Amino acid sequence: MKWFVSARSAETISSTIRIGESADWDEAVAQAIQTGRELTHADDGTQLGPARNYRIGDGEGVSIADGSPTASEDDLRRRIQQQTEYDAGVVNPAPHQPASPTQSGSVAEQWDRIFQWLRGNLASVSIAGATDEQIQDAMRSTGGLWPEELTSFFRLVNGFPRENWVSIFPMHELFDVDRTVSERQLELDIWGEIDAEMGAEPQVGTSAGQYVGTYLPEFIPFAGADGYLLFVDARRGPLHGCVTEFQKVDADGAGPKWPSLSAMLTDLADSLETGTAFDGHTHFVVDGQLRWQ
């Protein structure tokens, strides 16, 4: 049975992949987990982050935030088995819940904390928000589906200029509204072709946070790199506005990371102010620039 494991570098924003083949499912899982533990550096020597993507056989991939040597083998095996059983139609997937327990709050208040830290710790910071006209144009281009927190966020920061770029997230570049529109359409085009080739049925009537395995019009990306996006889920439901990572291999399979954009900004502000980890990474400042490891 074939197995696959991959990890990404925060420095190069690229994935390192290892594949193999084993006699049976149990052995394949064991070898994939062991390889994931040993996969600490990319082939070029750059350090890899703690997140791991596993795939056993022909099933869907399993994205796990911590597949590093500190992760529990029992938990890794349980997650992989749950996905395998779901692929085989044995069980229904449990409803996704956000990985972060942080509660929603005020986008403006949390971004102000982040802005104050950036201004006090980086050599040069240039931050400007999008105009209401820019936001309205972008919303019309994407069906007018934006949650209020997302419009509030873009009014405060509309990406960063190249001459004063800030790596505000460990593994994703912050988009401006134009990039949000173009990246969304690109993913819809790509996954629309994939779904057509696979004969997949249209995903309708799903709720925010519910796994669909494709890209939906209601997924509004605001950051990304190398085919990995952070998007706000504009579908209806209790998790309306949750933040999820869309992955080029596993789609939305990992489930929501945060219950809202404000919750994500709270975790980021806490990380910058206290030095604690954000999304599995810690920050440092080199030559007046923000870096993550």
Side-chain angles (χ1 to χ4, degrees), residues 174-245:
L174 181 63
F175 294 163
D176 59 19
V177 289
D178 290 338
R179 180 97 180 266
T180 285
V181 172
S182 62
E183 289 285 347
R184 171 184 173 274
Q185 189 58 54
L186 176 63
E187 294 298 327
L188 286 172
D189 292 343
I190 291 172
W191 285 86
E193 292 180 3
I194 294 173
D195 290 345
E197 290 176 0
M198 299 295 292
E201 295 292 331
Q203 295 285 347
V204 295
T206 56
S207 299
Q210 184 176 344
Y211 170 70
V212 291
T214 188
Y215 201 91
L216 298 181
E218 295 91 342
F219 293 173
I220 313 298
F222 61 90
D226 190 34
Y228 294 81
L229 302 172
L230 289 177
F231 71 86
V232 169
D233 193 338
R235 288 177 292 175
R236 297 179 179 180
L239 287 180
H240 173 73
C242 64
V243 174
T244 300
E245 183 180 35

Side-chain angles (χ1 to χ4, degrees), residues 98 100 102-111 114 146-157 168-169 174 180 220-223 230-233 239-244 256-269 278:
S100 172
T102 303
Q103 298 297 307
S104 300
S106 165
V107 167
E109 289 178 4
Q110 299 310 317
W111 179 252
I114 295 167
W146 293 20
E148 176 59 33
E149 283 199 346
L150 187 59
T151 60
S152 297
F153 182 59
F154 275 119
R155 288 190 184 98
L156 296 168
V157 55
I168 194 67
F169 302 124
L174 181 63
T180 285
I220 313 298
F222 61 90
L230 289 177
F231 71 86
V232 169
D233 193 338
L239 287 180
H240 173 73
C242 64
V243 174
T244 300
K257 283 178 171 286
W258 292 275
S260 63
L261 189 56
S262 59
M264 183 200 73
L265 295 176
T266 299
D267 283 354
L268 178 57
F278 171 75

Side-chain angles (χ1 to χ4, degrees), residues 33-274:
I33 291 174
Q34 182 61 33
T35 301
R37 294 184 186 282
E38 296 172 351
L39 193 59
T40 59
H41 291 79
D43 295 334
D44 61 5
T46 56
Q47 185 173 357
L48 297 172
R52 298 289 182 273
N53 293 323
Y54 298 96
R55 181 186 293 126
I56 308 299
D58 297 325
E60 294 287 339
V62 181
S63 300
I64 298 176
D66 186 5
S68 65
T70 60
S72 163
E73 183 167 348
D74 289 342
D75 182 60
L76 294 179
R77 182 175 286 272
R78 177 183 58 80
R79 289 282 304 278
I80 294 171
Q81 182 171 0
Q82 283 181 340
Q83 184 64 58
T84 302
E85 292 176 344
Y86 171 53
D87 294 337
V90 176
V91 295
N92 293 319
H96 276 313
Q97 293 299 318
S100 172
T102 303
Q103 298 297 307
S104 300
S106 165
V107 167
E109 289 178 4
Q110 299 310 317
W111 179 252
D112 184 64
R113 293 173 61 198
I114 295 167
F115 172 71
Q116 296 302 330
W117 187 93
L118 295 175
R119 188 171 64 175
N121 289 272
L122 303 189
S124 178
V125 179
S126 177
I127 297 176
T131 65
D132 285 340
E133 182 179 2
Q134 288 175 309
I135 293 173
Q136 290 299 321
D137 286 345
M139 290 176 66
R140 281 192 290 270
S141 298
T142 58
L145 300 168
W146 293 20
E148 176 59 33
E149 283 199 346
L150 187 59
T151 60
S152 297
F153 182 59
F154 275 119
R155 288 190 184 98
L156 296 168
V157 55
N158 188 28
F160 293 106
R162 286 297 168 186
E163 62 272 18
N164 292 113
W165 187 258
V166 178
S167 298
I168 194 67
F169 302 124
M171 305 293 285
H172 304 86
E173 298 178 10
L174 181 63
F175 294 163
D176 59 19
V177 289
D178 290 338
R179 180 97 180 266
T180 285
V181 172
S182 62
E183 289 285 347
R184 171 184 173 274
Q185 189 58 54
L186 176 63
E187 294 298 327
L188 286 172
D189 292 343
I190 291 172
W191 285 86
E193 292 180 3
I194 294 173
D195 290 345
E197 290 176 0
M198 299 295 292
E201 295 292 331
Q203 295 285 347
V204 295
T206 56
S207 299
Q210 184 176 344
Y211 170 70
V212 291
T214 188
Y215 201 91
L216 298 181
E218 295 91 342
F219 293 173
I220 313 298
F222 61 90
D226 190 34
Y228 294 81
L229 302 172
L230 289 177
F231 71 86
V232 169
D233 193 338
R235 288 177 292 175
R236 297 179 179 180
L239 287 180
H240 173 73
C242 64
V243 174
T244 300
E245 183 180 35
F246 192 90
Q247 303 177 349
K248 60 183 178 182
V249 175
D250 303 318
D252 60 332
K257 283 178 171 286
W258 292 275
S260 63
L261 189 56
S262 59
M264 183 200 73
L265 295 176
T266 299
D267 283 354
L268 178 57
D270 288 346
S271 172
L272 294 174
E273 291 176 350
T274 66

